[in-house]
Amino acid sequence: AAAAPAGPEACALFLARLPTVSRAQCEEAQLTPSGALSAHGVPLFWRDVPAPVGTGAAEAPLRVLIAGAIHGDELTAAALALRWIALAEQAGRPVHWRFIPVLNPDGLLARPATRTNGRGVDLNRNFPTPGWEKDAPLYWDKRTKRDPRRFPGKAPLSEPESQFLHAQMAAFRPHLIVSIHAPYGVLDFDGPLSPPERLGRLWLDQVGIFPGSLGNYGGVHRGMPVVTIELPHALNMPADAEVRSMWRDLLRWMGEHWPEAPGTEPRP
Ligand SMILES: [Zn+2]
């Protein structure tokens, strides 16, 4: 990653909004500013965990992008992405992980926290699915009755946060995107692979396709598999054992689909 400008430190900004994340856990995650900023000018922080040298595929590792809190009021989504950074470091797999635990810092830091970004846009309706100009406003008008929490924006990729994730799809070229949400307590999947049946206690329930959503854009139109995790609560974190169980199941499923990235079986 290119050198990023100095900015507010991630834990000073976010720690109070991350359920069950300790200061030590936050600091060990070593989030750094990506250089991109939210609509309100807050840094979009990230952390790369590269494939360790000597894991076989270190030259051409599997690339996995994990994004949390696309919706700013889903605090557990940010916390889970952050907690998984430590597990990725311990995993020792031939996988290059890129974590963006808080894609929507404006929403996360608002009081109260908001689903939308600083300009009132639902970022998960702002991706450039084909026909967006017609379908996204129509869906918002007819199906959501102009719910301000689901405003898709005035144009696809109108927002700096969705632009940033879109740019990462081109720059990082992930084999897999994991998008973490709450509170529906299910697992969703879009893309060309057979989906994971479950992650921990979350079972697959493909809930549908929305104009401008990341799953629709990445999975359906770009052919990049998108695992969408919907945690059961937006404010109450799953137990530690469940945090690890979901991670192990994700690794196991990855190992089934990318056997060229060996060793994705969980360690005891
Ligand atoms: Zn959400």
Side-chain angles (χ1 to χ4, degrees):
E9 193 259 322
C11 297
L13 279 171
F14 300 141
L15 185 58
R17 315 299 326 246
L18 301 178
T20 79
V21 175
S22 69
R23 175 164 291 280
Q25 284 170 328
C26 185
E27 289 176 353
E28 282 161 17
Q30 296 177 46
L31 299 180
T32 58
S34 65
L37 302 175
S38 72
H40 282 173
V42 180
L44 303 182
F45 289 90
W46 64 8
R47 168 70 196 280
D48 267 27
V49 180
V53 176
T55 49
E59 320 73 35
L62 197 66
R63 294 180 299 276
V64 180
L65 178 67
I66 299 187
I70 294 175
H71 293 139
D73 56 355
E74 298 165 3
L75 306 187
T76 52
L80 183 68
L82 192 130
R83 294 277 304 277
W84 275 2
I85 291 173
L87 299 182
E89 289 179 294
Q90 293 160 17
R93 309 300 184 213
V95 176
H96 182 173
W97 307 91
R98 178 162 294 177
F99 288 90
I100 306 167
V102 183
L103 187 69
N104 179 3
D106 294 348
L108 185 99
L109 295 172
R111 303 273 179 168
T114 61
R115 174 182 174 95
T116 53
N117 78 343
R119 290 202 294 236
V121 174
D122 181 343
L123 300 173
N124 205 33
R125 301 292 181 268
N126 194 240
F127 289 91
T129 47
W132 189 99
E133 285 79 359
K134 174 172 165 285
D135 295 342
L138 189 69
Y139 188 95
W140 182 59
D141 185 28
K142 301 294 183 202
R143 300 289 296 275
T144 80
K145 310 294 182 208
R146 301 194 162 230
D147 180 352
R149 286 167 38 82
R150 290 175 167 76
F151 178 58
K154 290 182 174 168
L157 297 180
S158 57
E159 304 309 302
E161 300 89 350
S162 50
Q163 288 167 17
F164 174 65
L165 199 67
H166 187 255
Q168 289 309 308
M169 292 167 79
F172 185 57
R173 295 180 295 117
H175 298 91
L176 172 67
I177 297 172
V178 179
S179 174
I180 310 174
H181 291 258
Y184 295 105
V186 296
L187 184 63
D188 199 354
F189 181 82
D190 296 286
L193 304 178
S194 61
E197 255 178 46
R198 62 181 293 187
L199 294 185
R201 294 181 178 184
L202 300 180
W203 288 85
L204 184 70
D205 183 7
Q206 287 170 289
V207 295
I209 294 284
F210 304 98
S213 78
L214 177 60
N216 187 354
Y217 177 68
V220 176
H221 294 289
R222 294 283 300 272
M224 284 180 185
V226 179
V227 170
T228 301
I229 293 171
E230 280 277 357
L231 294 170
H233 302 284
L235 305 178
N236 300 328
M237 269 294 275
D240 286 359
E242 175 69 358
V243 168
R244 288 190 295 272
S245 174
M246 286 188 286
W247 175 257
R248 280 196 305 269
D249 288 347
L250 178 67
L251 291 185
R252 187 178 300 122
W253 175 77
M254 286 168 53
E256 290 167 9
H257 285 285
W258 290 282
E260 70 276 18
T264 40
E265 282 301 305
R267 287 176 178 176

